[in-house]
Amino acid sequence: MKYLYFLLLITVFFIYLLIKKINLSVNILKNLLIGLYYVAFKASFYKNKSECIKNGITPVLNSINIKVNKFGLSENNLPTLYVVNHQSYLDSLIMKLLKPEIYTIAKSHVANDFSFIKNFSKNILDNWGVILYEMGNKESGKIVRKLIKENIESGKSILIYPEGTAHAYEGLKHFYKGSFEVAYENNLLIQPVTIKYLSDITWGEKVSYSKDYNLDILKNIRKCEENGNNEVNVTFHPIINTGKFDNADHLMKYVKFIITDEFVNQHNYKI
């Protein structure tokens, strides 16, 4: 049954490639398939999901010449809210490589859809550590706060991007306060993380000088492959005790300052 499941996975993958007519190299396609095997198949049956996630991500990042440089306090095993700036779709791959046990919260119709394809997708998301909630709910903000609180208090760590979406240029943008309010009100630990791309492979919201590979994921992948080396600095800052701040706004501004300072100055400190 396991092998039939993976055969179906491969079939769906290649049908998708044919439909999209993706013009990617054989090396990238091969490593995407390896990644899919570990994340979608092996992680479904293997007890150590974190190892499967890392084994799936590593060849994918290697195939597009991503070299991750890790700095700061990365050895944190406490239930923590990881607050990260957002410059690319690659951010999540990089964070899962370094912290495969972290969870993310996402809204999706998949949460309450029980069709075969949706359950197939949900299985992959479960292996990846995505906590789903129903789209279209007017109380979604409250739901997310509740999920952050409950999951961290149960021993899990949650990854959030307070900017809400990726921005390829112009540094850090507006931070949304909701996650800081729940952290402050419940005395949850926060660890700021700064991600800085050292080559022009960022991806996100369109600005006047965006290039095509800053907007299109497939073109971005090809750009990464064309570059000989794409270094990414990831700095894990000291863990913050949220109870020591005046209020959630004070906490949010401090976290943003910490992330921004490293983004601009690149101290690359080691702990």
Side-chain angles (χ1 to χ4, degrees), residues 63-245:
S63 69
I64 55 176
N65 304 314
I66 300 294
K67 181 180 183 296
V68 179
N69 304 313
K70 181 175 62 175
F71 301 98
L73 181 65
S74 60
E75 301 304 317
N76 170 22
N77 297 316
L78 298 171
T80 301
L81 182 64
Y82 288 91
V83 179
V84 188
N85 63 301
H86 203 10
Q87 278 202 294
S88 173
Y89 64 93
L90 292 170
D91 296 340
S92 294
L93 291 178
I94 291 169
M95 284 300 297
K96 287 293 284 187
L97 175 69
L98 300 177
K99 288 284 177 180
E101 72 281 0
I102 58 174
Y103 288 77
T104 54
I105 296 173
K107 57 184 177 180
S108 174
H109 289 304
V110 176
N112 285 329
D113 191 315
F114 297 97
S115 68
F116 175 78
I117 295 299
K118 292 298 183 182
N119 274 307
F120 181 75
S121 301
K122 189 175 183 299
N123 184 69
I124 297 175
L125 295 174
D126 287 343
N127 290 343
W128 190 259
V130 178
I131 300 167
L132 296 170
Y133 69 95
E134 186 181 1
M135 291 180 69
N137 193 320
K138 294 180 180 179
E139 301 295 316
S140 60
K142 292 181 180 179
I143 292 172
V144 171
R145 295 184 192 202
K146 182 180 178 183
L147 287 171
I148 290 174
K149 176 181 181 294
E150 291 179 347
N151 280 279
I152 291 180
E153 289 182 344
S154 71
K156 296 175 182 176
S157 289
I158 301 292
L159 166 67
I160 64 160
Y161 300 108
E163 296 163 278
T165 189
H167 298 276
Y169 292 109
E170 300 180 350
L172 276 70
K173 299 293 185 180
H174 170 75
F175 274 25
Y176 290 94
K177 194 189 298 185
S179 55
F180 296 96
E181 290 176 340
V182 71
Y184 177 77
E185 290 165 4
N186 297 280
N187 200 26
L188 306 178
L189 296 177
I190 282 181
Q191 185 166 26
V193 180
T194 302
I195 298 180
K196 175 81 174 204
Y197 292 82
L198 304 186
S199 57
D200 183 19
I201 57 167
T202 51
W203 173 92
E205 291 291 299
K206 185 177 181 179
V207 294
S208 60
Y209 42 85
S210 294
K211 303 176 182 66
D212 57 357
Y213 55 81
N214 299 132
L215 304 170
D216 184 283
I217 289 181
L218 295 179
K219 290 179 180 178
N220 187 274
I221 292 173
R222 288 194 286 271
K223 174 66 175 176
C224 290
E225 189 180 31
E226 290 169 3
N227 291 349
N229 186 38
N230 301 299
E231 291 197 52
V232 185
N233 288 348
V234 182
T235 303
F236 290 82
H237 301 281
I239 299 168
I240 295 173
N241 183 341
T242 56
K244 293 184 177 180
F245 290 80

Side-chain angles (χ1 to χ4, degrees), residues 177 180 184 244-256:
K177 194 189 298 185
F180 296 96
Y184 177 77
K244 293 184 177 180
F245 290 80
D246 297 335
N247 49 50
D249 189 61
H250 181 203
L251 171 64
M252 181 186 71
K253 289 177 179 177
Y254 179 77
V255 171
K256 186 174 183 180

